[in-house]
Amino acid sequence: MDRIDTSVAHPARRYNYWLGGKDNFAADRASADAIAAAWPSAPVAARENRRFLGRAVRFLAAEAGVRQFLDIGTGLPTAGNTHEVAQAIAPSARVVYVDNDPMVMVHARALLTSAPEGATAYLEADLRDPGHILAHPDLRATLDLTRPVGLMLVAVLHFVHGEGAALPIVRQLLDALPPGSYLVASNATKDFLPPQIAAVYDRMLTAGQTDIWPRTRSEFGALFDGLDLVEPGVVAAHEWRPDEPDPSLTPADVSVYAAAGRVP
């Protein structure tokens, strides 16, 4: 725990705060409040991202028959973690969680207990080093990369800054997975924001006051080039196969794109 710097905001702890959790510190809350002041949809986006994750895992486990998951950017444990959703459908499901926050790993190892028939592993690694993740012995011991894998990149790609910067990372990960695997991803966007809010957010991004890099529909959609998109395609997160549509929510409220695609 000595490597956990509570004086610097971290995305996983800020996300935890937006979700109503208690595993966050003053710096995380201050950062979260500053972002929400400029981008009021941020807490809603966090909640809808989490709901999208649950629906996508259910789809992969129940409809697509996927039994292995690589969840990068895990975040702090909360209700409806990937292995809990998957193993409720298929107890033999195997999940590897990856995050670069040591606090996440401490909590994950303590709280994320697999069903006896399945398995979970936890890697402290960074999405921006996909080669390290793919070569990690714990990943290789848990997942069979000759069989389909659900690659979960939910609410993590927007921490990779720069137009086009996420694409080579996603491609390297997908290239290691066999046909029948799936990419599930989401990313913040300014596409639905009023111009005045988008301008404020741009200023914060330039000043280093936020680490969330928004992507356009075109750039986000390019991550799925060559994949078979799952209906309804690239949509706002709350519009992806909702259990019960919420007519009170608009894409501007959520401001996150989400999609899933199958490796042919």
Side-chain angles (χ1 to χ4, degrees):
M1 293 285 284
D2 58 335
R3 292 184 297 114
I4 298 172
D5 186 349
T6 63
S7 68
V8 177
H10 192 281
R13 302 194 300 262
R14 186 174 59 219
Y15 193 65
N16 174 264
Y17 171 63
W18 280 331
L19 290 173
K22 298 179 180 179
D23 295 311
N24 49 75
F25 301 101
D28 308 307
R29 295 188 288 273
S31 172
D33 289 342
I35 292 173
W39 192 337
S41 65
V44 176
R47 293 192 294 271
E48 292 306 318
N49 253 310
R50 192 71 188 179
R51 289 169 180 157
F52 163 65
L53 171 70
R55 296 194 303 273
V57 173
R58 282 205 312 272
F59 165 78
L60 293 188
E63 297 185 43
V66 173
R67 296 294 178 264
Q68 303 186 111
F69 297 83
L70 175 54
D71 185 340
I72 303 178
T74 302
L76 286 154
T78 185
N81 300 292
T82 294
H83 78 283
E84 293 170 331
V85 177
Q87 291 180 351
I89 296 164
S92 63
R94 307 174 75 82
V95 180
V96 171
Y97 290 109
V98 181
D99 204 283
N100 67 353
D101 182 357
M103 182 171 169
V104 169
M105 291 295 98
V106 169
H107 282 257
R109 291 187 178 102
L111 299 175
L112 301 184
T113 304
S114 171
E117 303 93 329
T120 55
Y122 317 97
L123 314 183
E124 188 178 331
D126 196 299
L127 170 64
R128 290 164 291 195
D129 189 359
H132 174 67
I133 294 170
L134 292 168
H136 199 290
D138 290 348
L139 181 146
R140 296 286 174 162
T142 308
L143 304 183
D144 177 358
L145 298 188
T146 68
R147 302 178 63 82
V149 174
L151 173 60
M152 315 299 295
L153 299 176
V154 176
V156 65
L157 290 170
H158 46 227
F159 299 116
V160 178
H161 286 205
E163 186 172 351
L167 183 58
I169 294 172
V170 173
R171 285 283 166 248
Q172 186 173 347
L173 291 165
L174 288 176
D175 285 347
L177 305 181
S181 296
Y182 282 80
L183 168 64
V184 173
S186 65
N187 200 110
T189 184
K190 295 186 302 178
D191 285 1
F192 306 116
L193 296 179
Q196 64 273 23
I197 294 180
V200 170
Y201 195 81
D202 284 341
R203 289 196 292 272
M204 290 185 66
L205 195 60
T206 300
Q209 295 171 314
T210 177
D211 51 6
I212 298 175
W213 183 274
R215 288 189 162 84
T216 63
R217 189 185 193 283
S218 175
E219 186 185 0
F220 178 72
L223 301 175
F224 294 85
D225 286 352
L227 305 184
D228 299 325
L229 272 177
V230 176
E231 289 295 332
V234 176
V235 293
H238 71 294
E239 296 176 333
W240 196 90
R241 295 173 169 255
D243 296 323
E244 294 182 7
D246 184 347
S248 70
L249 281 180
T250 69
D253 294 326
V254 177
S255 291
V256 170
Y257 281 125
R262 182 181 183 275
V263 178

